[in-house]
Amino acid sequence: MHENYDEALLLELVKNKQFRALRAHLDEMNEVDIAEFLDELEPDQQVVVFRLLPKDVAADVFTYLEDSEDQEKIINALSDKELREVLDELYLDDTVDIIEDMPANMVSRILRNTDASTRSQINQLLKYPEDSAGSIMTTEFIYLHPNATVEESFARIRKVGLDKETVYTCYVTQNRVLLGVVTVKTLLLSPYETKIKDIMETKVISVTTHEDKEDVAQMFSKYDLSALPVVDGENRLVGIITFDDAMDVMEEEATEDFEKMAAILPGDKPYLKTSVFETWRSRIPWLLMLMLSATFSGMIITHFEGALAACVVLTSFITMLSGTGGNSGSQSSVAVIRALSLGEVEFSDMLAVVWKELRVALLCGVCLAAANFVKMMLVDRMLMHNPQVTVPVALVVCLTLMCTVVCAKIVGCTLPMAAEKIGIDPAVMAAPFITTVVDALSLLIYFGIATEILGI
């Protein structure tokens, strides 16, 4: 919770139905904080407090509510007139975002309470694929004519700017074709009689409606943009994507990647709002798959049961080897997945990535093997007086450690790149999956080296 408002005081005012005092406090609060406060209330209390808000504030608060179920409950409680007032204050892309998470009957009610023009634009935006630029754009932008003067353009901005998502960046079009872009700063610093075509920037960075929204979000960071125009196949301006929409995409994609890397099916609800059953359902498929795949490690150990019986001390180092291998693979996979998501590497860079990770693995492997050899001789043999820890045994463990680190890092960097090449999210090839693969490899290497050196 933020410390710029007293949650306990507000809850007390709601409980005692002191709505006049509550409204005074709400008037001083930011819309984001009001939305967080509403999340703490019971459904019937949420509706009561929501009705206290001015309609323009209520619309902003509505978009900041984290849980679509809270939005749905509020919509159910509002009359058609109240709902229409809230929808009139919402930007078009926010309305579309809300509709996408609503059941069919709720969508019908929302569309019934919008005018024909807005309804047509909403339906158009809903037709775009979920992961496309078109699905996150808004059609509420300011466009100027190239032959208009600065004075005429200011008059237009004042006339139509109130309902637009941004007024700082204006787009220059003729017959809807995107010609250039001009900022309000440029307009303010130019003489009134100047033509827009003489001051507009013609090198405009734009995207098409079907471009992947994650790639679009990365462009905001790459080019330091506040807004990005979206065009169709004939370079006609159909919408813009603003920085806040790009940030939402980045947060959504980062959360999804974290969940996949932790072997959890992605969800769209806040943690505390997700039921125990839903949480179980998102985790159990991966756990089942990883559990079954881990049986390969058990089969390998069973196969070499005789070798373990001949040299029991080898058993005590299996966990360390598997753990180090898994950690090494995870380091490489996380680094490569991040590089892939930022566009720093692609599949064609596979050899360069493998060559780099191979050198890193050799350095890491040598350091770990040397440290482990010293530890086994000093701690295991001398301090703990374990006569089974001989130099040949230590050599087996250290050679295995070095080979395992090399294999783990190669697997960790190649699997995510291969996954992206065949159209699978690279985040899937993260810690749990790679650890399972490396566990099996480390055991095969371990017993192979032990057989050769110890003759078991």
Side-chain angles (χ1 to χ4, degrees):
M1 276 294 163
H2 295 287
E3 295 181 0
N4 55 350
Y5 68 93
D6 189 338
E7 181 190 348
L9 173 61
L10 296 180
L11 289 172
E12 188 67 23
L13 292 174
V14 172
K15 181 180 177 182
N16 297 328
K17 299 184 179 180
Q18 295 176 281
F19 298 128
R20 188 186 298 273
L22 178 61
R23 179 182 291 173
H25 282 283
L26 293 174
D27 287 341
E28 301 297 321
M29 289 171 60
N30 182 276
E31 289 86 347
V32 176
D33 293 330
I34 297 174
E36 283 193 2
F37 173 62
L38 286 178
D39 280 334
E40 301 297 317
L41 301 177
E42 296 298 324
D44 56 334
Q45 294 175 326
Q46 283 182 340
V47 175
V48 171
V49 174
F50 189 81
R51 282 197 166 111
L52 295 176
L53 303 171
K55 61 182 181 180
D56 55 334
V57 175
D60 287 337
V61 169
F62 192 78
T63 62
Y64 288 125
L65 289 172
E66 288 191 2
D67 192 350
S68 59
E69 290 182 3
D70 290 340
Q71 293 176 329
E72 188 178 335
K73 288 169 185 172
I74 288 175
I75 290 176
N76 272 325
L78 296 178
S79 65
D80 282 352
K81 180 177 180 296
E82 290 172 323
L83 178 59
R84 201 172 299 118
E85 288 176 347
V86 171
L87 292 173
D88 286 344
E89 295 294 327
L90 287 176
Y91 291 119
L92 201 60
D93 57 333
D94 290 330
T95 306
V96 172
D97 288 342
I98 291 165
I99 285 176
E100 286 178 332
D101 295 325
M102 293 288 169
N105 63 323
M106 199 63 63
V107 172
S108 298
R109 187 175 173 221
I110 291 173
L111 292 176
R112 278 202 313 272
N113 284 282
T114 57
D115 58 70
S117 173
T118 302
R119 189 158 53 248
S120 174
Q121 292 179 74
I122 289 173
N123 285 326
Q124 183 62 40
L125 291 175
L126 287 171
K127 290 178 183 177
Y128 291 109
E130 184 181 355
D131 293 328
S132 68
S135 70
I136 60 171
M137 73 180 184
T138 179
T139 56
E140 295 167 318
F141 56 88
I142 294 178
Y143 59 91
L144 304 174
H145 196 278
N147 292 320
T149 64
V150 169
E151 185 175 12
E152 291 168 340
S153 299
F154 271 130
R156 173 170 173 76
I157 292 171
R158 292 189 191 97
K159 180 179 179 182
V160 303
L162 185 64
D163 298 325
K164 306 305 179 185
E165 188 133 351
T166 179
V167 297
Y168 180 74
T169 305
C170 303
Y171 299 91
V172 185
T173 63
Q174 189 165 18
N175 297 324
R176 291 180 57 202
V177 175
L178 179 62
L179 302 178
V181 64
V182 63
T183 64
V184 170
K185 177 183 177 181
T186 303
L187 294 174
L188 285 169
L189 298 176
S190 302
Y192 270 7
E193 64 275 8
T194 307
K195 299 276 187 170
I196 294 298
K197 64 182 178 182
D198 296 327
I199 58 173
M200 70 180 183
E201 174 60 59
T202 55
K203 295 178 181 177
V204 185
I205 297 169
S206 63
V207 295
T208 59
T209 53
H210 285 77
E211 196 150 342
D212 187 271
K213 66 181 183 181
E214 190 173 357
D215 295 336
V216 171
Q218 289 172 5
M219 291 177 69
F220 277 81
S221 174
K222 181 177 180 180
Y223 297 107
D224 196 23
L225 302 171
S226 59
L228 185 63
V230 183
V231 297
D232 61 12
E234 298 177 1
N235 202 42
R236 291 177 299 192
L237 184 62
V238 293
I240 65 168
I241 298 171
T242 52
F243 183 76
D244 59 324
D245 294 319
M247 287 296 293
D248 289 341
V249 172
M250 290 178 185
E251 181 183 351
E252 178 186 315
E253 294 296 332
T255 302
E256 186 176 306
D257 284 349
F258 281 136
E259 290 176 328
K260 287 180 178 177
M261 290 168 73
I264 302 173
L265 295 177
D268 56 0
K269 289 185 180 180
Y271 175 76
L272 291 177
K273 298 277 186 177
T274 308
S275 70
V276 172
F277 179 75
E278 288 174 313
T279 304
W280 164 81
R281 192 171 58 185
S282 70
R283 297 181 185 182
I284 197 63
W286 273 104
L287 290 175
L288 284 170
M289 188 182 79
L290 292 171
M291 180 191 71
L292 293 173
S293 62
T295 57
F296 289 112
S297 299
M299 291 166 63
I300 294 169
I301 291 174
T302 302
H303 181 73
F304 289 99
E305 199 170 356
L308 286 173
C311 189
V312 179
V313 73
L314 293 177
T315 309
S316 60
F317 298 105
I318 289 177
T319 304
M320 181 274 291
L321 291 169
S322 298
T324 304
N327 292 335
S328 299
S330 297
Q331 285 181 334
S332 297
S333 67
V334 169
V336 170
I337 289 168
R338 180 182 181 277
L340 286 168
S341 67
L342 295 176
E344 296 173 353
V345 298
E346 51 190 32
F347 187 76
S348 59
D349 299 314
M350 174 79 82
L351 287 178
V353 172
V354 170
W355 175 233
K356 177 180 179 178
E357 288 295 330
L358 178 61
R359 287 176 290 169
V360 172
L362 287 171
L363 289 172
C364 291
V366 169
C367 289
L368 290 170
N372 190 62
F373 187 86
V374 173
K375 175 258 179 187
M376 289 180 71
M377 290 294 100
L378 290 179
V379 178
D380 295 323
R381 184 173 178 83
M382 295 176 64
L383 295 180
M384 299 182 69
H385 305 291
N386 189 344
Q388 288 186 306
V389 179
T390 60
V391 172
V393 168
L395 189 60
V396 167
V397 174
C398 293
L399 282 175
T400 302
L401 187 59
M402 191 163 63
C403 293
T404 297
V405 169
V406 171
C407 288
K409 288 198 175 292
I410 298 301
V411 169
C413 71
T414 54
L415 281 184
M417 299 182 77
E420 186 176 60
K421 181 65 176 177
I422 61 177
I424 300 174
D425 192 329
V428 173
M429 299 296 177
F433 187 81
I434 287 173
T435 299
T436 304
V437 173
V438 170
D439 280 351
L441 285 175
S442 65
L443 288 171
L444 289 172
I445 294 168
Y446 192 27
F447 292 119
I449 293 175
T451 301
E452 289 298 320
I453 293 179
L454 301 178
I456 54 177

